[in-house]
Amino acid sequence: MKIRAVKLKITTASGEFGFKFEFSRGLTVIRGSNSSGKSTFYNTLIYGLGMEELIGGKGEKVLPYAVKEYFVQGDSRVAVDSSEVLIELENADGHSVTLRRAIRDSVRQSKLIEVFEGSHLTANTEFGTPRPTFLFDPGSAQKQEGYFQFLEGFMGYQLPQVPATNGGMAKLYLQTIFAALAVEQKRGWTDYIANIPFFGIRDARIRVTEFLLGLGVFERQAKRAALDADSMAIDSDWRKAWDTLRQAATANGIIIEGLSATPTSTFDPANVLLVKSDGTTKTSLIEQVSNLRAEHFSLTAKAEAYGKASGAEALQELEAASSELQRLSVLHERATTNLTLQKAALDELRLLLTEANEDLERNKTALKLRNLGAQMEVEVATDHCPTCHQAVDDTLLLGIVTGPQMDLNTNIDYLDSQRRMLQSQINGSLEEIRQSEITVTDVATRLAAIHDYRNSLRGDVSTGMAESRAVVRRQIQIELELSNLQAFHSQSEALMLTFEEIAGRLAANQADRRSMPRETYNAEDVSRISLFEKNFRGNASSFGYESAEIADIRISLDTLTPVLSELELREILRPRVQTSLTADSSASDFVRLIWSYLLALYQTSATRGFEGHHPGLLLMDEPGQHSMRSASQRALLQLLIAQRGLQAIVAASFDENESVFREATTGLDFQLIQWEGKVIQPLIS
């Protein structure tokens, strides 16, 4: 994509003001002093492209007052009635459009960008009917009427879905791509790709680099993300089914055995046991139903023979009921006592876990401080006395505790294993408590039922009724329990089918994961990254990078940024030895690295056989940061000119020094744009 021209149009009571510039298809240098409006020009250009998030905000508020409130013309202040910016673009197919966006207007809002077909700035053609598009509202990157969706299509892009910080997927928005294409002066030279707007994209800088280089990771990442989302759905579905089964089991006094609370691909319904427990013996659900039916049948026989029964038989039944009541009372007391002891043990385990976590954090903090001290070359941090330089034991208990003693690292490993063991015990204790609570509830229910039955028997004996109320009451209780258990049995069978289906999904998910390559990048990707590394090192050498041996610089496969001894190259504050390097670039050298990085992205993407997705556009505002040598600036301009197909627009002041400008540009083929005074001047029709 090429920017062919830009025009700022300001309407005032004194006429029209602004500027209009056309750009070369190669290198265009914008030269202006720090007070001439160079930043106004650059920011207006970025605003016209709809990319002002790169310079710190949304809408016209990112622009200076001179384009929306007033500007100074001569000795007078001129108020702005309305203002707008127009930009002419050309894509790789030779198709041209002109964008128009209001800055200050009584009707049009800044969220509107009008798209006109044709080259209205360079060919002075008449404006036709615009295509209105919107930006910064939901859908601007997805809907047909959205500006970013339009620009994505105009540039020939089909931006991929990438992993998001919330665990899902998000679009690699066009603004993130432009962060590697347009570098503004204030914060743009602080990182390899700085000022990426936040869209909840995980590792956004890496994703942008991968896209521009044309790495084939996005399909694999999308598949991994789909598998991750499927894993979350599997886990959620399993837990829902588990919670449903557990709640129904608890309501019926059933204990579930052999079923994991978390998904497993080896699920077998035959291994799941649904049992009743009184604290001493366990009865399966099928056996419990069979026992209840047998008891109900026995009670029916008793009811039929009740009128013929003798008083001795009735008293014997009453005595049996009383004995059962006493047995259940003992079981209830034991179960309640056991539950109380289990809860007390759980509290003790939680206290021990808290103490272990505190000890672990204290030891980690002590180790961190010692490591920081070692980096600062504090002798005591390396177990040596700073005065006599003798060895110092790494313990506070020397002479108090005999025998071997653990150092910090060993103690951290021990405490971490103890913490994991305690957490495992707590999880097991919680499950035991849950089962004990079910047992207590079930025994209490049976205790209440037999209590009612015994009382009814007493009434039968005292009144001499022809029909036993106790038998009828117990039969009703059995029928109700049987109905509940049968409903639970049907529900559990349906849920077992659900668990089987989820286990099958999990097995398929795991098989798909095993079939995917373990490495992030395949052989073709690594080849592209190697070329990127070669281009980067060549650029750094051309720009006069001196802070480290260029031959030792590598592009990290983890971050896709330059590293030296596996440490990312950054700006340093004081000299350090090679072994403790955390950043090995002076301020100006780090800017050279950024030049090298951004240019290498295009060079690699434009190499035949390694074609990527770089649009062939690079905008730089004041690349000569930190009093950059003119030789380095000249080398940058030379390399920009040498790249066939790259349009570079460089805005620079050259330290406001004519000799620096001549040294950097003499003999180079580029288009120069400069102006006398302020950039905002009367427009010539």
Side-chain angles (χ1 to χ4, degrees), residues 250-386:
T250 301
N252 288 278
I254 302 293
I255 295 175
I256 306 170
E257 294 182 348
L259 179 62
S260 172
T262 55
T264 174
S265 60
T266 58
F267 172 77
D268 185 355
N271 296 329
V272 180
L273 298 178
L274 305 174
V275 300
K276 282 264 191 178
S277 174
D278 59 8
T280 57
T281 58
K282 293 181 179 180
T283 306
S284 69
L285 178 61
I286 296 176
E287 290 175 338
Q288 179 69 9
V289 170
S290 178
N291 293 340
L292 288 174
R293 285 175 175 168
E295 184 181 355
H296 190 277
F297 180 79
S298 175
L299 289 172
T300 301
K302 285 183 181 181
E304 292 174 353
Y306 184 78
K308 304 175 183 179
S310 64
E313 291 174 338
L315 290 173
Q316 186 177 2
E317 180 70 17
L318 178 59
E319 184 178 350
S322 298
S323 298
E324 178 65 12
L325 182 63
Q326 185 176 6
R327 187 184 74 84
L328 289 175
S329 297
V330 172
L331 289 176
H332 184 265
E333 183 177 354
R334 288 177 181 174
T336 304
T337 302
N338 183 54
L339 178 60
T340 302
L341 292 174
Q342 288 176 336
K343 289 183 176 180
L346 176 62
D347 292 339
E348 183 67 22
L349 287 172
R350 283 173 170 165
L351 179 60
L352 291 173
L353 179 61
T354 300
E355 293 174 350
N357 283 329
E358 291 175 353
D359 288 344
L360 181 61
E361 289 303 315
R362 280 196 293 266
N363 278 270
K364 284 183 177 179
T365 301
L367 181 62
K368 180 186 295 184
L369 292 174
R370 194 181 74 167
N371 290 339
L372 288 173
Q375 292 178 9
M376 298 297 293
E377 301 177 0
V378 178
E379 287 195 67
V380 73
T382 58
D383 301 332
H384 288 84
C385 175

Side-chain angles (χ1 to χ4, degrees), residues 70-98:
Y70 69 89
F71 58 91
V72 176
Q73 184 71 14
D75 296 330
S76 60
R77 176 184 292 187
V78 181
V80 175
D81 293 335
S82 64
S83 56
E84 64 183 15
V85 59
L86 297 97
I87 294 183
E88 184 179 312
L89 301 177
E90 178 185 322
N91 65 11
D93 297 329
H95 177 210
S96 296
V97 297
T98 302

